[in-house]
Structures are given as C-alpha cells and as structure tokens.
Amino acid sequence: MEKREVLASVKDERLVEKRRTQMIKGAVTLFKEKGFHRTTTREIAKAAGFSIGTLYEYIRTKEDILYLVCDFIYDEVQEKLQKEIDQSDGTLDSLKMTIAYFYKVMDDMQDEVLVMYQEVKALTKDALPYVLNKEIRMVGMFEKVITKCVENGELLLTEKQISLLSHNIFVQGQMWSFRRWALHKEYTLQEYIDVQTQLLIQNVSFHKSADIKSFQ
C-alpha cells in the first residue's frame, strides 16, 4: 500500500522534514492533553514554534498532522525494532530479548503510543488503511522471530498460532502505554516484561529433553 502524500508548498525536502518533525512533537503533546478534535491548528503551530501561516506551508489540514503523527510513530518503532529482530537467532532467549526490547520501546514512546491508540480512528478514510497496514507489518516482524524458533525446534506452533502469538505480543506492548494509569501502580517496567513474557510463552515452549506438546 502506497504512502499517502501530504502536500506542501515548500520545495526544500530537508526543511519540510524539519518543520514536520516540529509539528509532530507539538501535536503529540497537545493531542495527549486535549485530544485531536479539541486541538486547533493554531495551537499546534504555537507548540511547534512557528506561525499558523507557516504551518499551512507544510500541510493542508489538521488531519494531515494526525496522519504524520501516526506515520512517524510507526516508522520510529519499526526502525528500532528491526535492529533487534535482525539479531534474533531463533532461540527462546532471543525471542524473550526481542519482547523485552519492544516493551522498552513502548515505554520510551508512551505518549506517542497513547495518542495513536486514542486518535487513530480520526484518520481520514484514505489514510487509515495505510496506517493500519503498517501495524500489521510490525506484527509480521514478530512472526518472523517466532517462526525461526519453530524452525529451530524451540517452539511447536501452527501458522495460526504463530500469528496470534505475534498479535498478543504487540498488543501487550501497547497496553503498557494505554493502561499505564493502572499498570504503573502495580508493576515496574521490568516486572511487567517478566510477567508478560512468562504468560505469553510458558505454554508454547519446550526443550528437547522434555516431552513435546502438540498444538495442532
């Protein structure tokens, strides 16, 4: 699915990227505090450090900013996660490390993830499928790691189980952000990682010396 084009009257691509990054940072703070619909473009421009006139040189609508926010967040998470996944060697330890790393990224980007979770429904019809497809691609990154474990005999799972486990890992990572008002009272980040990892893989892992369970 092709990236949705956000039109700008400025032709300098480096300047466009710089100004849009400023917009995104300002918008995340405002969307978190007030929500997308109650935030004005004038407020976003002020938070970004320039005038409303300048803002409209880089976007056309407020919905453009929300799209840029969501696109940026997914790109940022995917870039960080890809480095960890590339190092995965198909062992349970590497899977656990990948899960832990992902949850730490979710912790680092709590505000961004919360905004995306709350406001993605406000995206335009042409932007929403593209953004959701990026989420599916990230779930697919976990599928690759889990599939390596299956191929190495570390896990015994069907394709559907691999897919569902991948979705579970992804959602549990996001939950640290959108349920933080409750979870942070009970768990440190490391405690959350340890408990969730145990719950996610304890029933699907086995060692060569143990009896193999079939999940067909």
Side-chain angles (χ1 to χ4, degrees), residues 103-193:
Y103 288 3
K104 288 173 182 176
V105 170
M106 292 293 95
D107 182 64
D108 290 340
M109 300 182 67
Q110 287 182 55
D111 289 345
E112 290 89 342
V113 173
L114 181 62
V115 165
M116 186 174 63
Y117 178 79
Q118 292 176 332
E119 306 296 348
V120 68
K121 59 185 179 294
L123 286 166
T124 57
K125 290 183 178 179
D126 61 328
L128 183 58
Y130 170 79
V131 171
L132 294 181
N133 185 60
K134 296 190 82 164
E135 182 167 311
I136 294 299
R137 285 168 54 192
M138 274 193 282
V139 171
M141 296 169 76
F142 286 109
E143 289 182 357
K144 291 179 181 178
V145 176
I146 297 169
T147 298
K148 282 185 180 179
C149 290
V150 172
E151 292 172 347
N152 285 351
E154 295 280 316
L155 298 173
L156 184 61
L157 297 170
T158 66
E159 288 186 8
K160 284 189 175 182
Q161 289 166 336
I162 291 172
S163 176
L164 187 55
L165 179 57
S166 300
H167 279 284
N168 284 342
I169 292 170
F170 191 82
V171 171
Q172 300 303 336
Q174 289 182 322
M175 190 172 77
W176 179 247
S177 298
F178 64 74
R179 294 285 298 178
R180 64 187 182 186
W181 59 271
L183 294 172
H184 289 201
K185 296 175 183 178
E186 299 185 43
Y187 304 96
T188 65
L189 174 60
Q190 190 58 53
E191 288 171 340
Y192 183 77
I193 290 171

Side-chain angles (χ1 to χ4, degrees), residues 2 8 20 34 36 47-48 54 59 65 80 84 90 96-97 125 131 138 143 160 166 168 177 180 184-185 192 200 214:
E2 292 185 3
R20 286 181 174 174
K34 303 178 64 174
F36 170 73
T54 299
I59 50 98
I65 300 174
K80 291 179 178 180
E84 182 68 23
K96 292 176 182 177
M97 289 174 63
K125 290 183 178 179
V131 171
M138 274 193 282
E143 289 182 357
K160 284 189 175 182
S166 300
N168 284 342
S177 298
R180 64 187 182 186
H184 289 201
K185 296 175 183 178
Y192 183 77
L200 284 163
S214 174

